Amino acid sequence: MTAIRLLLVDDDPLVRAGLSFMLGGADDIEIVGEAADGGEVEALVDRTHPDVVLMDIRMPTVDGLTATERLRGRKEAPQVVVLTTFHADEQVLRALRAGAAGFVLKDTPPAEILAAVRRVAAGDPVLSPTVTRQLVQHAVGTAADTRRTRARERMAALNDREREVAVAVGRGLSNAEIATGLFMSVATVKTHVSRILAKLDLNNRVQIALLAYDAGLLEEEQKDR
């Protein structure tokens, strides 16, 4: 079994030590490096080639948001999970829009943080449907009209089936649940998700969900039911 290569980024040495102790003991996790600021991240990624970066948001020089944007703009970028103390913080939303695969709270039990790292390494976002709805509803309240217009323009690139899949992703459904609801195979769902990501130039399912909410597609679906 190939170990998941993990990079820890937090300006608090006690937090880094705690995370290293908690996660480094797992057989399938290898801590390949630690950074105290977002400005150190790119060089460390080049040197250590992590699969996942566990990234604090608030750091004194280069914050986790900026570091995430820089990383996710690169080819073959590692997955990023942001660390935060709030469920619906505006910076968390910005990090998710920048391409982070999800977030974990700093007081999350060790087993759940470990599970989050494993899920992200496997290509699954770390957001439950409930948390996704909380975050996106929070996001829609700010500059909603402008974002809705832009989101609708982008979503126009999708065909009807891809649009249905995007809405299902926005509802927080898994591939298996989408396949059942839309009467298609899981493989077909995965193909549609890949096409949506490519057409809309997105990094992951979380960004599909955010864009679907911004475009008002979830509201339209609720009215149609």
Side-chain angles (χ1 to χ4, degrees):
M1 179 178 62
T2 303
I4 299 167
R5 299 173 63 81
L6 179 66
L7 176 63
L8 304 176
V9 185
D10 196 294
D11 64 328
D12 188 333
L14 290 178
V15 172
R16 294 199 309 275
L19 289 170
S20 182
F21 177 77
M22 287 189 304
L23 302 175
D27 293 338
D28 59 341
I29 301 288
E30 178 185 0
I31 308 295
V32 296
E34 298 181 13
D37 188 79
E40 305 170 21
V41 172
E42 288 190 275
L44 263 177
V45 166
D46 288 338
R47 193 160 65 246
T48 62
H49 305 290
D51 301 304
V52 179
V53 178
L54 198 54
M55 180 94 72
D56 187 22
I57 287 221
R58 293 172 174 83
M59 291 180 284
T61 306
V62 176
D63 62 33
L65 171 62
T66 301
T68 297
E69 290 174 335
R70 290 175 179 174
L71 276 185
R72 295 304 299 171
R74 296 159 52 121
K75 291 183 178 180
E76 299 182 0
Q79 296 293 339
V80 176
V81 178
V82 295
L83 285 165
T84 181
T85 53
F86 301 100
H87 279 88
D89 182 272
E90 182 63 29
Q91 287 184 301
V92 174
L93 287 163
R94 290 175 62 195
L96 295 176
R97 292 185 188 281
F103 74 91
V104 293
L105 299 177
K106 287 193 173 183
D107 60 358
T108 298
E112 293 183 22
I113 295 179
L114 183 58
V117 170
R118 287 170 174 156
R119 283 186 59 187
V120 166
D124 295 325
V126 186
L127 286 177
S128 70
T130 300
V131 172
T132 299
R133 284 192 293 271
Q134 289 175 344
L135 281 169
V136 176
Q137 286 166 3
H138 176 78
V140 168
T142 306
D145 290 342
T146 300
R147 271 207 311 273
R148 175 157 297 189
T149 299
R150 292 175 179 172
R152 284 181 178 274
E153 290 173 352
R154 294 182 68 185
M155 295 296 286
L158 304 182
N159 61 38
D160 290 343
R161 203 56 163 163
E162 289 164 348
R163 188 184 178 97
E164 289 178 330
V165 172
V167 169
V169 170
R171 291 173 53 207
L173 301 182
S174 67
N175 286 340
E177 290 169 331
I178 296 172
T180 299
L182 296 180
F183 305 102
M184 62 178 70
S185 70
V186 172
T188 301
V189 173
K190 290 180 179 179
T191 298
H192 281 307
V193 170
S194 295
R195 287 176 179 167
I196 293 167
L197 293 172
K199 282 187 176 182
L200 302 181
D201 193 25
L202 301 175
N203 285 298
N204 54 44
R205 296 167 71 97
V206 176
Q207 290 185 324
I208 294 175
L210 288 169
L211 193 62
Y213 269 94
D214 282 349
L217 299 187
L218 278 296
E219 295 174 21
E220 292 175 2
E221 187 206 30
Q222 289 294 328
K223 291 177 182 177
D224 292 340
R225 288 187 174 185

